[in-house]
Amino acid sequence: MTATAAAAEATVRKSSPGATRGPRRRTGRLRRIGLPYLLLLPALLLELLVHLVPMAIGIVMSFKELTQFYLRDWGTAPWAGLDNYTVSVDFDAPVGQALLHSFLVTVAFTVLSVGLCWLIGTAAAVFMQDTFRGRGLLRALFLVPYALPVYAAVITWVFMFQHDNGLVNHVLHDQLGLTDKPSFWLIGDNSFVALLTVSVWKGWPFAFLIVMAGLQNIPRELYEAAALDGAGMIQQLRRITLPSLRPVNQVLVLVLFLWTFNDFNTPYVLFGKSAPEAADLISVHIYQASFVTWNFGTGSAMSVLLLLFLLVVTGVYLTLTSRGRRTAQ
């Protein structure tokens, strides 16, 4: 009697839909969870090969006394420990003083470049919100500096900054008479102004593009209601536009900061291997410390210090912005 009841119960379990639905549901859930990671696997492997592996090798090189004598087999270079880092941060020694000066120049250049790019891009994007004839053509022209290849654009600026026959001196000195004599833009203190000009020229269209995309998500009804309440353009900008663009601007400023602080192509094409002291950005300085003096150990240590600085600044920035977002909500 007992065996018959057990057999009947087993038959009922097999025939019930819930008995097979449970394992199938678990299998389907596992597939749904694992599919995104499977799709991301090729990108992760490529990222590992292109970025993480060289980064790990650079960190190892920073602890070695790697000079031109060990380039054939850099693994045999003697272990230096923290000596490369000590030399880099010794601001009383020539190497540390040069690195500190380059860092301060890079900070000033980054703050000015990011600020001007954001200001010009935001002003252009707000101006482009109004409908007028030729707006599409003007938008396309605004994006030309961002679309041009970096080398072609910067080389064009090199010719424009020439002392004798450059367009900049021709306009400022010959046409407008704003200077007493033609200026040297690629050497001396004016090199910082030239570098900043080129950086802002090719960077502000990106800010313009991002801000213009963010403005599309602001309802026009808000501006219409504000206009009915008597709010002018400045008040609408302060009370509606800028608060609504806060999430977009937070990401935009961070991206511009990282791009500008790490910019190597612009100063290298503009000045060559040896940048003037006024425009000695830290990216070119590390290149000179590594490939000009052939001291790859010290150059790698400087690169690791730069990486740590950017990680700390990014972490602090994201913490402050996320805290401000939660407070606003």
Side-chain angles (χ1 to χ4, degrees), residues 86-87 90-99:
T86 303
V87 171
D90 186 7
F91 300 134
D92 294 328
V95 176
Q97 289 178 355
L99 181 62

Side-chain angles (χ1 to χ4, degrees), residues 42 70 79 150 160 287 301:
Y70 301 97
W79 193 261
V150 176
M160 294 172 61
Y287 169 82

Side-chain angles (χ1 to χ4, degrees), residues 22 132 233 271:
F132 56 89
M233 181 179 178
F271 305 115

Side-chain angles (χ1 to χ4, degrees), residues 39-48:
L39 295 176
L40 287 175
L41 184 61
L44 293 176
L45 292 177
L46 185 62
E47 180 75 15
L48 180 66

Side-chain angles (χ1 to χ4, degrees), residues 76-316:
T76 61
W79 193 261
L82 297 176
D83 292 345
N84 293 325
Y85 293 92
T86 303
V87 171
S88 300
V89 298
D90 186 7
F91 300 134
D92 294 328
V95 176
Q97 289 178 355
L99 181 62
L100 178 61
H101 173 267
S102 177
F103 174 77
L104 295 177
V105 170
T106 307
V107 170
F109 165 74
T110 303
V111 171
L112 292 175
S113 179
V114 173
L116 290 175
C117 286
W118 177 84
L119 182 62
I120 298 174
T122 302
V126 172
F127 173 73
M128 283 296 168
Q129 289 302 107
D130 296 332
T131 303
F132 56 89
R133 176 178 291 183
R135 184 178 65 167
L137 177 61
L138 199 56
R139 283 180 176 178
L141 292 177
F142 282 173
L143 296 177
V144 167
Y146 181 68
L148 284 176
V150 176
Y151 286 92
V154 178
I155 288 175
T156 303
W157 276 100
V158 171
F159 287 106
M160 294 172 61
F161 281 129
Q162 292 296 320
H163 176 264
D164 297 326
N165 53 4
L167 179 63
V168 176
N169 280 333
H170 176 70
V171 173
L172 296 181
H173 176 68
D174 299 336
Q175 299 294 328
L176 301 179
L178 297 179
T179 57
D180 297 333
K181 57 183 179 178
S183 303
F184 289 95
W185 293 101
L186 300 180
I187 59 176
D189 295 336
N190 290 332
S191 59
F192 183 85
V193 179
L195 179 61
L196 182 63
T197 302
V198 177
S199 177
V200 173
W201 176 82
K202 72 182 185 64
W204 78 265
F206 176 75
F208 162 72
L209 184 64
I210 299 302
V211 174
M212 187 173 60
L215 289 174
Q216 307 303 317
N217 296 323
I218 302 178
R220 300 299 302 175
E221 291 79 7
L222 294 178
Y223 293 102
E224 295 174 358
L228 291 176
D229 291 337
M233 181 179 178
I234 302 300
Q235 291 180 337
Q236 293 179 16
L237 183 66
R238 290 180 53 191
R239 303 297 182 181
I240 300 176
T241 305
L242 293 180
S244 301
L245 290 176
R246 184 175 301 169
V248 176
N249 285 329
Q250 290 173 354
V251 178
L252 174 61
V253 170
L254 179 60
V255 172
L256 288 176
F257 167 77
L258 295 176
W259 283 0
T260 307
F261 209 96
N262 287 316
D263 190 12
F264 174 80
N265 295 329
T266 302
Y268 184 80
V269 178
L270 199 61
F271 305 115
K273 295 182 180 180
S274 58
E277 186 178 1
D280 185 21
L281 297 187
I282 196 168
S283 57
V284 180
H285 186 85
I286 293 175
Y287 169 82
Q288 293 174 346
S290 301
F291 294 95
V292 176
T293 63
W294 297 96
N295 197 340
F296 293 96
T298 305
S300 299
M302 293 178 181
S303 300
V304 174
L305 292 174
L306 175 61
L307 174 63
L308 294 176
F309 170 76
L310 293 178
L311 288 176
V312 170
V313 172
T314 303
V316 172

